[in-house]
Amino acid sequence: MKSVVRGYTAADAPAWVALSNLILGRSVTVESFQAEEARRNPTQFSRRWVVGEGEELRGGVHFYFFPFDPPGFLHASVFVHPEARGRGIGRLLWAVLEEAAREVGAAGLVADVLDTDPASIAWAGRRGFRQHAHRFASELDLKAFDETPHLPALARAEAQGVMFTDLRGADDATVERYLGFVADRATETPDLAGHPRWPLSQVHALLHLDHDPRPDWLILAVGPEGEWLGTTAMVRYRDLAYNELTATHPQARGRGLALPLKLHAIRRAREAGLTVMRTNNHSSNAPMLAVNRRLGFQTRPGRYELHLPLRTTSGA
Ligand SMILES: CC(C)(COP(=O)(O)OP(=O)(O)OC[C@H]1O[C@@H](n2cnc3c(N)ncnc32)[C@H](O)[C@@H]1OP(=O)(O)O)[C@@H](O)C(=O)NCCC(=O)NCCS
C-alpha cells in the first residue's frame, strides 16, 4: 500500500504518544501530552504530519520552536515505526519537512538522535545534519541517597557566610529578579552560549511557574551581603524531579557552591516523596558532571544534537 503523509489532527494524539514513546523509550501519558499542547504559546511555531493512523500509525514529524535552539532554527523530529523503516516513509516525511522549512524561512534545523542509533544518525547525516553537541540524562535514586558524606561540603559553604534560601513568599519584584538571574546564568551554560538572553516569559514557562509553581524548589545561595551567588531550579514531571539548571554567578565559581545547592534540591525532592531526580548534561560540562558523579547520579544513554543550517545570516 502506498504511504501518504497527511496533517496531524487531535484524534491522532493517542497513537502519536504511543509511537513516540516506543521510539524514544519514554512513558509520556496522553493526558500530559495534551496538557503540554494546550499550554504551548500559540505564537511559537508547531506543526505535525503523520503517515497512517491509530495502531497503524507508521511515522510522524514534529516541526516546532524549541527555546534551546539557535535563533531562527526550528526543531525537527522525524520518526518511523521500527517495523516500517527502510521503505521510504522517512524520505516522504523529510520531503514535507524540507518544504515547510523553506516556506517558513527557517535559518536551520535541529534534530536529536539517540547516541545508540547509528542508522538514524547516518540517515540524518545523509540529509546534511552535522553533530553539534552530545547530551545525556543522569539519574539519582532518591530512595537510596545518603546525604551524610556531603554534609561537610554544605558546612564549608555555610562557613563562607553563604545562606541557602528559596523563593517561598517572594514578592513579584523578587520573582522577576530571579527570572532575570536565571536568564543570565542560562546564557553562561554550554547549551545556550552565544544565544540571546531568553525573554523572562520563557524562563517563567521553563520553571513551570505558569502551571505548577514550586517556589520552594527555586533555591538560591546568598552571600553575606545579600548578593545572589547561585541557584538550582527543580520542576516536576509526574513522579520525576527534574533539575532544570544549577548555576553559579561567574564571580562565585570555584567556591564549592554547586554541590550544596543540589543537596538542597535533593532534600526538597525527597520531602515531596519523589523517588528519582533527573538532569540533562552537555558532555563538555566538566564541573557539572563532576558534581553529579560525586552525588551518585548514574548516566543514561544520551542524544546527539544535530544541526542543519539552511541559510547563512547576512551582516558582519
Ligand atoms: C531516521 C528514520 C526517521 C528513518 O526512517 P525510514 O522510514 O527508515 O527512512 P527511509 O526508509 O526513508 O530511509 C532509510 C533508508 O532506507 C532505504 N530506502 C528508502 N526507501 C526505500 C525503498 N522504497 N526501498 C528500499 N529501501 C529504501 C534508503 O537507503 C534510505 O536511506 P536514504 O533515503 O538516506 O537513502 C528512522 O530510523 C527513525 O524513526 N529513527 C528514530 C528517530 C530519529 O532519530 N530521527 C532522525 C532525526 S529527526
Side-chain angles (χ1 to χ4, degrees), residues 121 129 132 185 263:
I121 295 168
F129 281 93
H132 175 76
R185 301 291 76 76
L263 204 56

Side-chain angles (χ1 to χ4, degrees), residues 215-247:
D216 52 330
W217 288 358
L218 306 176
I219 300 158
L220 275 167
V222 182
E225 313 296 326
E227 70 278 24
W228 289 6
L229 303 174
T231 184
T232 193
M234 185 167 72
V235 295
R236 176 174 44 191
Y237 289 98
R238 283 162 296 148
D239 51 355
L240 194 80
Y242 186 71
N243 192 192
E244 193 60 75
L245 167 108
T246 302

Side-chain angles (χ1 to χ4, degrees), residues 76 78-80 85-91 113 120 123 126-127:
V78 184
F79 55 90
V80 173
R85 293 191 186 165
R87 295 185 209 157
I89 296 176
R91 277 185 189 183
V113 184
S120 296
W123 184 91
R126 290 194 294 279
R127 275 136 191 102

Side-chain angles (χ1 to χ4, degrees), residues 23-24 58-62 75-82 84-94 97 110-114 117 119-127 129 306:
I23 291 170
L24 301 173
R58 299 291 88 183
V61 51
H62 189 199
H75 224 77
S77 169
V78 184
F79 55 90
V80 173
H81 193 290
R85 293 191 186 165
R87 295 185 209 157
I89 296 176
R91 277 185 189 183
L92 285 177
L93 291 164
W94 173 251
L97 175 65
V110 180
D112 291 312
V113 184
L114 298 178
D117 185 356
S120 296
I121 295 168
W123 184 91
R126 290 194 294 279
R127 275 136 191 102
F129 281 93
L306 308 175

Side-chain angles (χ1 to χ4, degrees), residues 135-310:
R135 287 196 187 75
F136 51 86
S138 306
E139 286 185 0
L140 182 68
D141 178 349
L142 296 172
K143 288 198 300 288
F145 181 76
D146 175 15
E147 70 168 24
T148 323
H150 306 295
L151 294 176
L154 187 56
R156 279 194 296 276
E158 285 165 356
Q160 300 171 37
V162 176
M163 288 218 330
F164 293 91
T165 175
D166 58 47
L167 284 212
R168 252 174 300 194
D171 58 17
D172 290 350
T174 307
V175 172
E176 180 143 341
R177 180 179 164 206
Y178 181 77
L179 298 177
F181 187 74
V182 170
D184 289 335
R185 301 291 76 76
T187 56
E188 293 157 6
T189 64
D191 297 283
L192 293 175
H195 290 204
R197 188 180 192 256
W198 279 17
L200 298 191
S201 58
Q202 191 74 60
V203 182
H204 194 267
L206 178 84
L207 301 180
H208 292 191
L209 290 172
D210 51 351
H211 69 283
D212 187 20
R214 289 299 303 244
D216 52 330
W217 288 358
L218 306 176
I219 300 158
L220 275 167
V222 182
E225 313 296 326
E227 70 278 24
W228 289 6
L229 303 174
T231 184
T232 193
M234 185 167 72
V235 295
R236 176 174 44 191
Y237 289 98
R238 283 162 296 148
D239 51 355
L240 194 80
Y242 186 71
N243 192 192
E244 193 60 75
L245 167 108
T246 302
T248 52
H249 190 281
Q251 284 164 12
R253 299 261 166 95
R255 287 171 56 180
L257 298 181
L259 191 142
L261 274 164
K262 285 194 99 134
L263 204 56
H264 275 278
I266 291 166
R267 278 185 183 169
R268 285 160 169 78
R270 296 177 91 190
E271 278 161 21
L274 301 175
T275 54
V276 177
M277 179 177 282
R278 182 182 297 167
T279 186
N280 268 303
N281 289 120
H282 194 290
S283 298
S284 73
N285 198 345
M288 201 68 255
L289 294 173
V291 167
N292 288 345
R293 237 188 333 265
R294 223 175 310 142
L295 286 167
F297 277 83
Q298 302 287 318
T299 62
R300 299 277 175 263
R303 291 174 282 129
Y304 287 110
E305 178 183 322
L306 308 175
H307 283 194
L308 171 59
L310 293 175

